Amino acid sequence: MYNGFMKYLLSNDPDKTVSEKGMKLRKLINPAFKSLIPLSIRQKIKVQSRAKMPDDRPIIFASTHGFREDVEAAVVAAGKNKHAYILIGSLKQVFHAKEGIYAWINGAVLVDRTDPDSRAASKDKMRKVLSLGGNIIMYPEGTWNISPNKLVAGLFPGVYDTAKEAGALVAPIASHRVGNVIFARLGKAFDITKFERQEGIRRLRDKLATLKWRIYETLPVTKRSTLPQGEEADRYWEQTMDDLRNEVSHFEHELERMAIFRPKDIFHRDEVFEHIKELLPGHNTAFLFNKKLI
């Protein structure tokens, strides 16, 4: 399968990828399109809460990202009366799977995450959507949150920059999948630009984490004693992540790994201890090889 008719969406020219006529048509058919979404996936989408969205400002729906159907969950959570274009960076999925056709019908802004010019152009294209009275769905985590302990991963600041340049509000969406049910919550839209860039991003992340925690509070509690421990827990988590990735056709493992947000002042454990591999045992370094000190 190859959705070659969508190649025009890769253009860096907003006028070639976003049109007022196309937006009006997609907005017109959007309620019907959303009603068909539950038929396209195996899971039932249950929106636990949905804040009322204002009509006098464009909205950027900022969603958590962690499983195959969270795009559908965000589209549904936004509500039948709020049509929004989706920012998508999984190009192989777009051009080689039926989900790409669904995205085109809904309205999509494509970005090649490996191309700086494409990344810059995606902001221009989103601004055009917002300037024409449309809305946007973004995933500021950039890729799936694969952390075993973070409710929400670090957020890329593009959501703040786009909101500031377009005068848009930001509405957080959190979703979580359990078995055949997807739970979602839409929080209140807020003006992220009332805060400095770093503080605005921090507040958005807090709002996303709070919504996700609210979902968890409605779910059955699992006893810690029933969960795997130590290395077994690590293997269990990796297998869980692999199972999720295997649900996606054309999953780009290396690209998604590189897309994780990394603050410049935060270092991974492996990076911190990388130099240890180059050390040789000697009089001055022997203590570093004493396992009792680790």
Side-chain angles (χ1 to χ4, degrees), residues 269-281:
R269 179 181 183 278
D270 292 341
E271 293 176 318
V272 174
F273 293 101
E274 180 67 24
H275 68 286
I276 298 294
K277 298 177 182 178
E278 307 298 326
L279 293 177
L280 297 175

Side-chain angles (χ1 to χ4, degrees), residues 195-229:
F195 311 97
E196 294 296 328
R197 193 173 189 241
Q198 185 174 353
E199 176 63 14
I201 291 297
R202 186 191 70 78
R203 287 179 179 255
L204 173 58
R205 189 181 180 204
D206 284 351
K207 291 176 184 293
L208 289 169
T210 299
L211 288 173
K212 203 159 192 179
W213 184 257
R214 294 290 181 239
I215 293 174
Y216 290 165
E217 287 182 321
T218 67
L219 303 177
V221 176
T222 300
K223 293 184 178 180
R224 186 179 294 274
S225 60
T226 66
L227 299 174
Q229 304 294 321

